[in-house]
Amino acid sequence: MTNFVVKTLANAAALAVAIWLLSGITLDDGSSTGRRALTLILVALVFGLVNLLVKPLVKLLSLPLFILTLGLFTLVVNALMLLLTSWLASKLDLSFHVDGFWTALLGGLIISVVSWAMNMVLPDKN
């Protein structure tokens, strides 16, 4: 249970950094800070579920591209997962939006780096 909370917090922090750095990734909940934080946590949960359920299948189906590009195709897959999260968030009435593929590509890179750093700092207990 602690591992789930740690990963969700790491995803939320990584998403917050991407929102802060890129103008094309927005969290447009204009109400209170608490409401904005709750929306960010919910988006982090959606992002975690997308990475848990969809990403392994996409990686398996695109395995030849991973081999051909020596793993750089991971950036494209991360961008697609971020765009899928944006689409699901709109369907769930969460105010998270990613403008396009290139913004998603940069956002995926930022989220990967920040998420890795947060997972290194935060405890990893089961």
Side-chain angles (χ1 to χ4, degrees):
M1 182 67 174
T2 304
N3 193 26
F4 173 75
V5 172
V6 167
K7 287 192 182 291
T8 302
L9 290 175
N11 278 339
L15 285 165
V17 170
I19 290 166
W20 179 60
L21 289 176
L22 299 174
S23 62
I25 300 177
T26 57
L27 188 66
D28 293 329
D29 198 358
S31 54
S32 69
T33 304
R35 173 81 175 151
R36 203 169 148 92
L38 178 63
T39 303
L40 185 62
I41 295 292
L42 291 174
V43 170
L45 287 171
V46 170
F47 186 66
L49 284 175
V50 165
N51 281 329
L52 178 70
L53 301 174
V54 179
K55 192 173 184 177
L57 179 64
V58 172
K59 278 184 155 183
L60 179 65
L61 293 176
S62 60
L63 186 62
L65 289 172
F66 278 101
I67 294 169
L68 185 64
T69 63
L70 301 175
L72 288 176
F73 193 69
T74 304
L75 296 173
V76 174
V77 171
N78 288 343
L80 294 174
M81 296 304 107
L82 193 57
L83 286 170
L84 180 60
T85 300
S86 175
W87 180 76
L88 287 171
S90 70
K91 297 298 178 192
L92 295 171
D93 283 335
L94 297 172
S95 60
F96 177 74
H97 180 70
V98 179
D99 278 341
F101 176 76
W102 295 109
T103 302
L105 190 70
L106 284 172
L109 182 61
I110 291 168
I111 289 169
S112 295
V113 170
V114 173
S115 203
W116 170 80
M118 291 298 294
N119 282 315
M120 295 300 287
V121 171
L122 293 173
D124 189 20
K125 297 178 184 176
N126 289 328

